[in-house]
Amino acid sequence: MAEITNVVSKFSIGDPVWAKMKGFFPWPGKVVSPTKDVKRPALKKSMHCVYFFGTKNYAWVLEEHIKPYLEFKEMHTQKSKSSSFKEAVETADDYVKSLPEKAVRTSELPSIEEEIATIFPDGTKKAEKPHRDYSRTPFLGRTKCTGRENDSSKTNSVPMKNRRGKQQNERYEKLKKNKITPPLDIEQVSDTLRRKNVKPSDFKIGFLGLGIIGQGIVKNLLNSGHHLTIWNRTPSKCKDFVKAGAVQGQTPSDVVAASDITFSCVSDPQAAKEMVFGNCGVLREIRSNKGYVEMTSIDSESSQDIAEAIQLRGGRYLEAPVLGSKKPAEEGNLIILAAGEKSLFEDCASCFRAMGKQSFFLGDIGNASKSNLILNMILGTTVGSLAEAMALTDRAGLSQKDLLEILELGSLSCPAVTEKGQAIVEGSFGTNMPLQHMQKDLRLALAIGDQLEQPLPLAATVNEVYKHAKRFGYGEHDVSAVYLRARF
C-alpha cells in the first residue's frame, strides 16, 4: 500500500496519547511502530498505530481521534471510571514520568465547542445515554435487576387490584410460573441435518454464547463434524458440549486464538460489544484474515462499530443474524441473513448449511441487521395481535381451541400462529423465543423508523404491550406470554 504523502503528522513514535475508537470513550496509550500482526487499514487518511496501556492491545487509529495525553488528562478522567481504566491511567502516568521532558508533546487545549464538534461532526448533540466504557469491561457476568421492573412484590399487586376474583388471580400466578423449557438432547441428530449430509469445513470454528439459539447451533455444528471451540459466560453450560466433542475456551480471546472463524450469538447489542471490547475479549486475538461473525440481533450502528474494530486489526467481519427460535435452531432450520465481507460468507458455507435451511448475502454491513429487525417486527406484531384475539375469544365465552383450529385451516395459517396459539391454549410458555428479546427487536426497529422519519404506529403500540409484559415479570418467558397481559 502506498504511504500517505504531504501530510505533517502531529504525533511521533513514543508520544503518550488518548486514542478514541469509534463509539467508545478515549483510552490512554502511546504511539508505536506497528507490529507485523497489526495490519494497517486501507484508508487514505493519516493514522497511527497505538498501544493501549492496561489491556496491552494494539490498533490503528485515525489521527483526528488522537489527543496529547497530559493536556487532555483532566478532561477524560474527571468522571468516575472502571478500575481497569484507573489502572491504565496510572500506567500511562508512570510512562510519562519516565520520558525526557522534551518528549512530551503539547498543543493548545481546544474549547469545549471544538471537542463537541469532534464527537458530533454534524454539529448536533445527540440525546442518548452516555457510552458505556465497553473497551475494558471485565467479564463478570450479569446481575439481575433489582429495580421496580423485576420486583415480584410489586408485580403481584397490580392484577390483585384489578376487578378479578380469587380464582382468576390463582390462574394468573400459575400461568406466570409456567415457563418450563425442555432440555437439549445434544447427541440426537435431527432428520433435517441427516438429509443435508453436510461436509464439515476445514476451518477451525469458534462459538461464543450458549443461549437458546446458540445451543441449537453448536449442537448441529458438532453433529456435522466441525472442529469447535466454545465459550459461555456461565461455564457450566459448556459441560455437555465438551462431552460431545467441543473444546472449552477460558475466555473469548482464547476461542478466537484457537479458531479461524469465530461466531458470536448473545442477547443484545450491549453484550455483543462487551464480547468484542471487554477484557480478554475478541479484539485481543483478532489477527490478519481471522473471521468474526456476529449472529446477535443488533442495530446496524453497533454492527458498524464492531466491524470497524475488527477490520482495523486486519480481521474479516460478517453480520449474520438469524430468523428462528429454539426448535428451528435445534433442527438446523434457521434462516441466516448475512452482510459484510463476501469471502467470509463463502468460507462459512458449511457452517451455515449445518445451522440453517437457507442463507442470504445482502451486501453492505447494516443491511442484514436492519432486515432482521424489520422481519422480527412483523413477527412481534403478529403474536401481539394473536394474543389480543385469544383474550377476546376467552372474554366472549368462546372456545380458544375452536378459534385456533379455524385459523389453521384458513389463509392466516402459519407456524408462528399455530405454535404460539397452542401455547396460549395450553397455558404453557416454555421459552422458545424470550419475550424480552422480542421487545428489544421491536425497540431497535422503531429506532430505524425514527432515524428515517417513517411512521410505525402499529409496531409502536405493540411495543408498549410487550414493555408492559416485561414490567410484570414475563421477560424470560416465551414471547407468547404477552397473552397474559392482554388477558388479565
Side-chain angles (χ1 to χ4, degrees), residues 48 98 103 105 114 135 147 149 164 183 199 239 243 259 289 293 297 325 329 359 368 375 409 430 433 452 472:
H48 297 282
S98 69
R105 186 176 294 264
E114 290 173 337
S135 56
E149 291 191 5
R164 307 283 187 262
K199 181 180 179 181
K239 184 177 179 180
K243 290 180 180 179
S259 309
N289 292 323
V293 184
S297 180
S325 55
S359 58
L375 289 163
L409 294 173
M433 174 184 288
L452 301 176
F472 282 85

Side-chain angles (χ1 to χ4, degrees), residues 428-446:
S428 175
F429 303 102
T431 309
N432 291 294
M433 174 184 288
L435 185 147
Q436 60 191 1
H437 291 180
M438 175 56 71
Q439 193 275 318
K440 176 259 300 181
D441 286 350
L442 282 168
R443 171 173 55 81
L444 296 177
L446 290 170

Side-chain angles (χ1 to χ4, degrees), residues 14-188:
D15 281 354
V17 296
W18 292 95
K20 185 180 187 300
M21 301 294 287
K22 182 179 178 181
F24 302 98
F25 198 86
W27 195 267
K30 64 178 178 178
V31 178
V32 297
S33 297
T35 64
K36 294 181 180 179
D37 294 333
V38 186
K39 184 180 179 183
R40 190 188 192 283
L43 299 176
K44 295 182 179 180
K45 294 183 179 181
S46 181
M47 305 183 75
H48 297 282
C49 185
V50 175
Y51 169 84
F52 291 99
F53 292 118
T55 62
K56 301 180 181 180
N57 289 333
Y58 293 85
W60 281 95
V61 183
L62 293 170
E63 186 170 88
E64 62 195 65
H65 295 159
I66 300 175
K67 303 294 182 184
Y69 178 76
L70 286 180
E71 297 178 4
F72 285 80
K73 180 182 175 182
E74 183 177 356
M75 176 184 296
H76 294 319
T77 57
Q78 61 184 352
K79 295 182 180 180
S80 177
K81 299 293 188 307
S82 63
S83 59
S84 57
F85 176 83
K86 294 176 181 177
E87 290 174 4
V89 171
E90 290 175 1
T91 304
D93 288 340
D94 291 341
Y95 172 73
V96 171
K97 292 176 183 177
S98 69
L99 292 175
E101 186 175 350
K102 65 178 181 179
V104 181
R105 186 176 294 264
T106 61
S107 64
E108 291 186 7
L109 189 67
S111 64
I112 294 177
E113 290 75 13
E114 290 173 337
E115 184 66 12
I116 291 176
T118 300
I119 301 172
F120 305 108
D122 60 356
T124 60
K125 191 169 183 179
K126 300 179 181 179
E128 57 182 16
K129 294 181 179 180
H131 287 297
R132 178 175 177 179
D133 179 18
Y134 295 108
S135 56
R136 311 298 183 268
T137 304
F139 288 96
L140 299 178
R142 297 198 173 190
T143 56
K144 292 187 177 180
C145 176
T146 57
R148 183 178 178 185
E149 291 191 5
N150 288 326
D151 188 338
S152 58
S153 64
K154 295 182 181 180
T155 295
N156 297 339
S157 63
V158 173
M160 291 294 186
K161 289 180 180 179
N162 291 337
R163 289 172 292 180
R164 307 283 187 262
K166 181 178 179 181
Q167 186 177 3
Q168 279 191 327
N169 282 308
E170 289 175 351
R171 184 186 178 204
Y172 171 89
E173 292 300 326
K174 181 179 178 181
L175 290 175
K176 180 181 173 183
K177 295 176 182 177
N178 193 5
K179 63 165 189 172
I180 299 173
T181 301
L184 178 69
D185 187 350
I186 298 173
E187 296 182 358
Q188 182 180 3

